[in-house]
Amino acid sequence: MQDHFVHQQCGDCPIRHRAVCARCETDELAALEQIKYYRSYQAGQTVIWSGDRMEFVGSVVTGIAALTQTMEDGRRQMVGLLLPSDFVGRPGRSTAAFDVTATTDLVMCCFRKKPFEEMMAKTPHIAQRLLEMTLDELDAAREWMLLLGRKTAREKIASLIAIIARREASLQVRRPKGQLSVDLPLTREEMADYLGLTLETVSRQMSALKKDGVISLEGNRHVMIPDLDRLLEEAGDDSDGGMLV
């Protein structure tokens, strides 16, 4: 199964205001245009294997990817999700640290790695934005450590739904009011693997959140959230500090 190339205009990009190029001026965007290309992947397809040489870096435009790590005995652990606008790859590092797999159909905006690194050195807008994104990723990793180490099963499920819903809302220029809805990118089995729970526990807690009116479900994937603040409370998060992303 091979990835294939697609084309998309920067002006139509749904992640433009959150991506690594968010602060770029017209001339800087033109320079990026010379080194970028788009790729699409089918759900389940590997974007890159851990240890492979990285020839590109880039951003998730649409869809979700999973970061996983495999131990020597074959055990695998999902260690992160890449949501729209998240950056893939590490400038200055020649090989991939994790497997990256498309969880849903995926479109990525890719930049040839060496020219991107050269452009970073002379374009403060890109370097500053990438630093901000890296710090956001560090905050998210620390939050995830808390989730896995201290939160209850119910809080874990609520947290995961909240993370996906908040990111989807953040991609909109104006924050949506009222009920939010989101399509979960993970199956129940994948949610269990990601959260360190059993499949039965995930299903039971999803049903409990639905019964208590925290969420409503259409099918297995489509989730409606009547009150985001209540969902954040169920997640064990402080809901009065604004929207976290």
Side-chain angles (χ1 to χ4, degrees):
M1 195 162 44
Q2 298 293 321
D3 59 278
H4 58 281
F5 294 90
V6 295
H7 183 70
Q8 185 168 329
Q9 298 295 327
C10 287
D12 299 326
C13 181
I15 63 168
R16 174 71 176 84
H17 65 289
R18 281 190 54 91
V20 69
C21 56
R23 296 185 176 180
C24 287
E25 305 290 347
T26 302
D27 59 332
E28 295 166 339
L29 285 174
L32 281 174
E33 185 75 34
Q34 301 302 311
I35 64 171
K36 83 172 185 182
Y37 55 95
Y38 292 94
R39 275 183 173 172
S40 65
Y41 301 85
Q42 297 178 11
Q45 187 175 359
T46 299
V47 177
I48 191 164
W49 294 101
S50 173
D52 281 357
R53 185 170 183 82
M54 288 287 295
E55 302 294 344
F56 69 92
V57 295
S59 298
V60 175
V61 179
T62 59
I64 309 288
L67 294 173
T68 58
Q69 192 160 23
T70 304
M71 300 176 66
E72 290 186 1
D73 62 4
R75 286 178 291 168
R76 288 168 58 86
Q77 176 62 51
M78 191 184 300
V79 297
L81 287 178
L82 295 170
L83 305 175
S85 80
D86 281 341
F87 196 75
V88 180
R90 182 80 60 84
R93 176 179 288 176
S94 60
T95 59
F98 305 100
D99 297 336
V100 180
T101 306
T103 302
T104 67
D105 289 346
L106 183 74
V107 174
M108 288 186 54
C109 176
C110 304
F111 302 101
R112 289 184 286 121
K113 187 169 177 292
K114 186 174 180 180
F116 183 84
E117 291 172 342
E118 293 171 350
M119 190 170 176
M120 269 187 64
K122 58 185 179 182
T123 309
H125 285 153
I126 293 177
Q128 290 169 2
R129 179 59 186 147
L130 190 57
L131 175 60
E132 291 175 353
M133 295 172 74
T134 302
L135 293 174
D136 286 343
E137 184 179 343
L138 178 60
D139 287 342
R142 288 169 171 165
E143 182 180 354
W144 198 252
M145 289 172 63
L146 172 65
L147 182 152
L148 292 179
R150 294 299 180 190
K151 289 191 176 183
T152 66
R154 183 183 176 99
E155 288 172 336
K156 287 181 178 183
I157 298 295
S159 293
L160 180 60
I161 297 171
I163 287 169
I164 296 168
R166 289 181 301 183
R167 174 58 63 85
E168 187 162 305
S170 75
L171 291 174
Q172 303 178 32
V173 177
R174 294 182 178 178
R175 178 177 176 177
K177 297 181 179 179
Q179 179 172 279
L180 294 176
S181 63
V182 63
D183 289 315
L184 293 178
L186 303 173
T187 65
R188 300 289 173 89
E189 291 86 353
E190 289 168 334
M191 290 173 66
D193 181 36
Y194 191 39
L195 297 170
L197 301 171
T198 65
L199 174 60
E200 293 76 13
T201 298
V202 170
S203 297
R204 185 167 59 250
Q205 294 300 331
M206 289 285 286
S207 297
L209 288 170
K210 177 183 177 181
K211 180 180 178 180
D212 294 341
V214 180
I215 60 173
S216 58
L217 299 172
E218 288 184 0
N220 289 328
R221 297 289 190 96
H222 191 69
V223 178
M224 287 170 288
I225 306 164
D227 185 343
L228 181 60
D229 286 342
R230 185 181 177 194
L231 178 64
L232 292 175
E233 289 174 1
E234 292 289 347
D237 296 334
D238 181 6
S239 62
D240 60 5
M243 179 174 289
L244 302 175
V245 292

